[in-house]
Amino acid sequence: DAGVIQSPRHEVTEMGQEVTLRCKPISGHDYLFWYRQTMMRGLELLIYFNNNVPIDDSGMPEDRFSAKMPNASFSTLKIQPSEPRDSAVYFCASSGTSGGARYNEQFFGPGTRLTVL
Amino acid sequence: AQSVTQPDIHITVSEGASLELRCNYSYGATPYLFWYVQSPGQGLQLLLKYFSGDTLVQGIKGFEAEFKRSQSSFNLRKPSVHWSDAAEYFCAVAPGFQKLVFGTGTRLLVSP
């Protein structure tokens, strides 16, 4: 398996522009997570999905952020409009359930480094 | 709220020397604890995890960690560090179903 795939790897945009980050989870995984990593706040969970349904979006910073998962093999994180403080590395991770376990290993993608000028 | 604390922001270790990275957790029930490693420009990779049972857990790349309930700690160790171990290490706790809360990370530098 190719692992979790994220695109683009780097994105530079200007303040006010719309930004869309993409993620393809590992085939067969039914959980998908979006994280943001910054120097100031570390690694934060933004939102996660189970079977394409958003389960917890309490980490989404504000209404400018939205995430969708239209099918089991694709998810997007959109920022509109973008601001300089959104500059960060955004990670996508996926995991598969087994027997209703409380936790299953999350596999991370390489991340998208976003710079908002 | 459930959380983990990694008190060391940076640690420098000589190659071949032993390593211990500290992690303290705050959690009311039996915690699920993890150590992840992040190499530069890469995503996170799971080193090891503790769910229950033996308090000394073995992971990949020669790492181990010991769960000590009395000290609320889950420290990561390695007997002999290699230059390729230079990376950032994150401790994490799973406070709820499938969620992870990460510590702020410890950056490991390996000197020749």
Side-chain angles (χ1 to χ4, degrees):
Chain A
D1 199 312
V4 175
I5 299 173
Q6 291 186 247
S7 65
R9 292 293 308 275
H10 302 273
E11 176 80 37
V12 180
T13 191
E14 293 187 347
M15 183 174 62
Q17 296 299 305
E18 178 180 293
V19 175
T20 300
L21 311 181
R22 297 172 175 81
C23 175
K24 176 179 170 56
I26 292 173
S27 177
H29 282 185
D30 51 359
Y31 280 86
L32 184 138
F33 305 82
W34 282 101
Y35 292 89
R36 178 173 68 176
Q37 186 178 37
T38 62
M39 291 292 293
M40 293 298 295
R41 301 177 65 90
L43 198 61
E44 306 170 278
L45 176 65
L46 300 178
I47 185 172
Y48 77 96
F49 295 82
N50 178 219
N51 292 321
N52 313 335
V53 176
I55 302 300
D56 185 346
D57 65 354
S58 59
M60 296 286 263
E62 48 196 281
D63 292 346
R64 297 185 297 106
F65 286 70
S66 62
K68 294 182 179 180
M69 192 165 186
N71 57 63
S73 59
F74 184 66
S75 177
T76 60
L77 178 67
K78 185 175 294 186
I79 308 172
Q80 167 62 18
S82 59
E83 297 182 4
R85 59 194 170 115
D86 301 330
S87 297
V89 181
Y90 291 82
F91 289 102
C92 176
S94 70
S95 69
T97 54
S98 64
R102 174 178 152 190
Y103 175 81
N104 294 281
E105 179 179 352
Q106 294 181 24
F107 293 83
F108 282 74
T112 295
R113 181 174 295 277
L114 173 64
T115 302
V116 183
L117 303 175
Chain B
Q2 301 86 357
S3 65
V4 290
T5 301
Q6 295 180 247
D8 303 307
I9 298 175
H10 295 101
I11 281 187
T12 300
V13 175
S14 298
E15 189 169 16
S18 63
L19 169 70
E20 182 167 25
L21 302 182
R22 296 184 290 166
C23 173
N24 293 99
Y25 67 89
S26 171
Y27 189 68
T30 301
Y32 282 23
L33 294 162
F34 311 83
W35 276 99
Y36 278 82
V37 61
Q38 183 181 24
S39 298
Q42 303 295 315
L44 280 71
Q45 180 184 21
L46 181 66
L47 283 176
L48 48 79
K49 59 184 183 284
Y50 171 77
F51 287 0
S52 65
D54 193 347
T55 57
L56 184 64
V57 293
Q58 302 296 321
I60 62 172
K61 305 184 180 187
F63 285 92
E64 66 178 26
E66 186 171 13
F67 171 64
K68 293 185 177 180
R69 184 185 299 276
S70 62
Q71 299 178 17
S72 298
S73 70
F74 187 57
N75 294 348
L76 181 71
R77 302 194 294 246
K78 187 170 185 178
S80 178
V81 169
H82 187 263
W83 64 266
S84 61
D85 293 323
E88 188 146 19
Y89 292 81
F90 293 90
C91 184
V93 64
F97 195 73
Q98 304 295 338
K99 290 181 66 170
L100 286 179
V101 174
F102 286 89
T104 51
T106 298
R107 183 168 298 278
L108 172 65
L109 305 174
V110 180
S111 60

